[in-house]
Amino acid sequence: MIKAADQLCNKIKSYDPSVDVDRLRRAFLFGMRAHEGQLRASGEPYFTHPIAVANLLADMSLDIDTLITALLHDTVEDCDVSLDALQNSFGSSVCQLVDGVTKLSRIGRQSGQNSLHAENFRKLLLAMSEDVRVLLVKLADRTHNMCTLSHISKPEKRSRIARETLEIYAPLA
């Protein structure tokens, strides 16, 4: 996985030569440790997902805080990591972005249970997102999840994810 960190750093340096590579590497290691032992439905280590999300955003030449957020976007929700730990390690901007992505993920799960209409949910997402980078991370997250949808064994879960993507995330994008 360290090779993946080098590749990501090189990609970012190609459009931002002054990027703080050490900070990015710290975030990479932090996320990798937080997700240690977790696997995706494909059987791959979970951290391959945040790396893929970060690469999608680096392809759009986004800033370092957004890329660090991509690497850490699931740590609060899926690991034993607090927002305070993120703030102490990576600053308030990254902390706020990760918090925003986490809140959007929680709203998404709740909306399915409460069957909010898709248009109302899109409006809610836009209203909740004080920083467009939160939506960009969430959209990259969903993009990668769609790329790996075939690894989900339950057809009804695949169908639900695809429907949410079509009705909510595609119009947002």
Side-chain angles (χ1 to χ4, degrees), residues 99-110:
D99 187 38
V101 174
T102 301
K103 286 177 181 173
L104 287 184
S105 297
R106 288 178 183 153
I107 291 170
R109 282 193 304 275
Q110 291 169 357

Side-chain angles (χ1 to χ4, degrees), residues 30-31 33-35 72 74-87 90 98:
F30 187 101
R33 286 183 189 124
H35 290 290
L72 304 176
D74 282 331
T75 58
V76 171
E77 187 175 10
D78 296 341
C79 307
D80 192 22
V81 174
S82 69
L83 288 171
D84 287 339
L86 291 180
Q87 173 136 357
F90 302 103
V98 170

